[in-house]
C-alpha cells in the first residue's frame, strides 16, 4: 500500500530506500539492547537528510520544513524510531533563524558534514514542568562568559550530541513579564560543569537528568539577544511540533498498513478476521482520522515555510496527528490479538514509541488550553 504518498515522490523514495536497510530486526535489536541507533543516524547524516534544513551555502540541502517533515514521516513509516534524530532538525532551525552570521559560519558546515551533532535541547526542569517561565537555571554574565547553574530533566540525545541549546534565566522572574529575561545558548556538551544521569524510560529514548554546576559558556555562544530566548524557543517549538506531527502520520500509516495486512492473513473461524466488519470499521475510522490530521500537518508546515504565524496550526497539527496515530496504534494492537504483544511483530514497540507524543514535546492539555485561550479568546486559566 502507498497511502498518503502522493507528494514529494522522489524525496520519499530516496529516504525510504535508506530506511529499508534498517529493517525490523535492526530496530528490535536496538530496542532490546536499549542502544542508540548509531548506524542509522550515521547513514541518515551521510545521505544529507539530517542537514535537510541547512542552507546550501553552509553545506546543507536547503530543503523546506515541509520536506523535512516528509523525511521524518518516512523514518517512522519504515518502522523506525525518529526520536533518535529529530532533535537535530528543529534545533537547527533555532540556530538558523536566530543565530549570528559568525555562529552559522562556525557551526553549520560542521553540523552539515556530521562532524558535530546538535541533537539536544535543555528546556524542561524538574521544578518548573510545563510552566517554562518558572525555570530556575540561571546564567550570570561574568566578563567574556556566562556562568550557569541549575538543573534540567528529560534532556534527550545528550550523550550522542556535541552541541546543545540551553535555556536559562538571565534576569529574575518578573510576574508582569513572565516570559522575558530568558536566554538561549549554544553549549558544548563535553564542557566542565555538566553532569548527566540517564533516565530509564518506557521507550528506547536516550534522555537524561542534567546537573549544571558553574558551567562556563563563552559570551559569543549566546543566540540572538539576551532576554529574548523564550520567544526564540517558541519559534523552534513550532518546527518541532510540525515535525512530530509528521512522525505521527508516519506511525499512523505504519499501523494502518500493518493491521490491514494482518487482518487479511489471519484466519479465525475459517475466514480472515478482516472479513468481519467489527475488525474493518475501526481500521477504516482510524485511517480517515489520519488522512484528516495530515491536512493540518501540511497546512502548518506551509505556514511555517512562508514565515507566517503558525502557532495555532502547529499545535493543532501535533495534537490531531498524535491522537489519530494513537487511535491507529490501539486498533493495530487490538487486531493483532495476543501477537500484538510479541516483540517480533514490532507492534508493541511502535505502540510504546507512539504513546510518547501525547505527552512530549507538549502534552495534550497544554495544547487545548492554548487553542481555548489564544484562538477562541476564552479567559486565561493560568
Ligand atoms: C521521553 C521524553 C523526552 C523528552 N525530551 C525533552 C528534551 O529533549 N528537552 C526538553 O527540554 N524536554 C524534554 N521532555 C520533556 C517534555 O517536554 C515534558 O515532559 C512535557 O512538556 C510535559 O512536562 P512535564 O513532564 O513537566 O509535565 P507537568 O508540567 O508536570 O504536567 C503534568 C500533567 O499535568 C498537565 N497540566 C499541567 N498544568 C496544567 C493546567 N494548568 N491545566 C491542565 N493540565 C495541566 C499536563 O498537561 C500533564 O498532563 C521530554 C519528555 C519525555 C517523556
Amino acid at each position: 500500500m502507498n497511502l498518503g504518498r502522493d507528494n514529494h515522490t522522489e524525496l520519499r523514495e530516496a529516504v525510504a530506500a535508506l530506511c529499508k536497510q534498517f529493517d525490523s530486526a535492526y530496530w528490535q535489536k536496538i530496542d532490546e539492547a536499549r542502544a542508540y541507533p548509531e548506524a542509522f543516524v550515521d547513514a541518515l547524516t551521510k545521505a544529507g537528510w539530517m542537514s535537510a534544513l541547512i542552507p546550501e551555502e553552509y553545506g546543507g540541502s536547503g530543503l523546506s520544513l515541509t520536506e523535512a517533515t516528509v523525511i521524518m514521516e518516512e523514518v517512522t513509516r519504515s518502522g523506525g524510531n525518529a526520536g533518535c534524530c529529530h532533535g537535530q532538525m528543529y534545533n537547527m532551525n533555532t540556530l538558523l533563524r536566530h543565530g549570528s552570521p559568525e555562529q552559522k559560519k562556525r557551526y553549520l558546515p560542521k553540523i552539515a558534514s556530521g562532524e558535530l551533532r546538535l541533537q539536544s535541547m535543555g528546556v524542561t526542569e524538574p521544578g518548573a514542568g510545563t510552566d517554562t517561565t518558572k525555570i530556575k537555571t540561571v546564567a550570570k554574565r561574568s566578563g567574556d562568559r556566562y556562568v550557569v547553574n541549575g538543573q534540567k530533566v528529560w534532556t534527550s540525545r545528550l550523550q550522542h550530541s556535541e552541541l546543545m541549546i540551553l535555556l536559562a534565566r538571565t534576569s529574575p522572574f518578573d510576574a508582569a513579564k513572565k516570559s522575558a529575561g530568558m536566554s538561549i545558548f549554544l553549549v558544548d556538551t563535553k564542557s566542565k560543569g555538566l553532569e548527566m544521569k540517564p533516565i530509564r524510560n518506557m521507550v528506547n529514548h536516550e534522555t537524561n537528568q542534567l546537573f549544571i554546576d558553574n558551567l562556563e559558556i563563552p559570551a559569543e555562544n549566546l543566540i540572538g539577544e539576551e532576554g529574548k530566548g523564550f520567544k526564540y524557543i517558541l519559534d523552534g517549538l513550532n518546527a518541532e511540533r510540525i515535525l512530530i506531527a509528521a512522525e505521527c502520520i508516519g506511525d499512523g500509516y505504519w499501523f494502518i498498513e500493518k493491521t490491514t495486512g494482518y487482518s487479511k492473513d489471519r484466519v479465525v473461524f475459517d475466514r480472515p478476521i478482516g472479513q468481519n466488519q467489527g475488525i474493518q470499521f475501526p481500521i477504516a475510522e482510524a485511517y480517515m482520522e489520519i488522512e484528516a490530521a495530515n491536512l493540518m500537518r501540511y497546512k502548518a508546515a506551509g505556514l511555517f515555510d512562508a514565515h507566517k504565524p503558525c502557532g495555532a496550526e502547529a499545535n493543532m497539527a501535533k495534537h490531531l496527528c498524535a491522537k489519530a496515530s494513537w487511535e491507529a496504534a490501539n486498533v493495530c494492537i487490538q487486531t493483532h490479538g495476543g501477537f500484538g504483544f510479541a516483540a517480533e511483530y514490532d507492534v508493541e514497540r511502535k505502540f510504546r514509541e507512539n504513546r510518547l507524543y501525547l505527552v512530549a514535546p507538549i502534552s495534550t492539555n497544554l495544547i487545548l488550553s492554548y487553542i481555548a485561550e489564544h484562538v477562541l479568546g476564552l479567559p486565561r486559566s493560568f
Side-chain angles (χ1 to χ4, degrees), residues 304-325:
F304 188 94
D305 284 331
H307 289 259
K308 292 194 175 147
C310 65
E313 289 79 6
N315 274 296
M316 289 192 284
K318 148 70 175 63
H319 179 69
L320 294 171
C321 296
K323 234 170 59 140
S325 55

Side-chain angles (χ1 to χ4, degrees), residues 269-342:
F269 296 113
D270 303 320
R271 56 174 161 166
I273 56 168
Q275 203 176 334
N276 303 304
Q277 290 189 324
I279 291 283
Q280 289 176 2
F281 288 1
I283 302 175
E285 179 127 37
Y287 167 65
M288 286 191 275
E289 300 279 354
I290 287 161
E291 287 284 302
N294 205 11
L295 297 176
M296 185 57 79
R297 162 265 184 114
Y298 284 118
K299 181 176 181 188
L303 288 170
F304 188 94
D305 284 331
H307 289 259
K308 292 194 175 147
C310 65
E313 289 79 6
N315 274 296
M316 289 192 284
K318 148 70 175 63
H319 179 69
L320 294 171
C321 296
K323 234 170 59 140
S325 55
W326 177 239
E327 182 54 34
N330 271 305
V331 170
C332 187
I333 207 163
Q334 194 69 20
T335 304
H336 276 74
F339 292 108
F341 294 79

Side-chain angles (χ1 to χ4, degrees), residues 121 123-124 129-130 154 156 205 356 359-361 363 365-366 382:
M121 177 174 66
V123 172
T124 309
T130 319
W154 301 116
S156 302
H205 194 90
L356 175 64
V359 171
S363 64
N365 281 0
L366 270 292
F382 54 86

Side-chain angles (χ1 to χ4, degrees), residues 1-13:
M1 270 193 283
N2 232 2
L3 304 173
R5 274 196 171 122
D6 49 4
N7 58 19
H8 302 284
T9 315
E10 267 179 50
L11 173 62
R12 285 183 189 281
E13 282 173 4

Side-chain angles (χ1 to χ4, degrees), residues 90 119-126 128-131 152-157 201 203 205-207 240 356 358-367 369 381-382:
Y90 50 78
Q119 288 266 37
S120 247
M121 177 174 66
V123 172
T124 309
E125 296 191 5
T130 319
D131 187 0
K152 296 284 171 186
V153 70
W154 301 116
T155 314
S156 302
R157 298 165 296 275
N201 58 84
V203 272
H205 194 90
E206 190 250 280
T207 189
E240 181 186 43
L356 175 64
L358 287 166
V359 171
I362 181 171
S363 64
T364 302
N365 281 0
L366 270 292
I367 292 184
S369 121
S381 61
F382 54 86

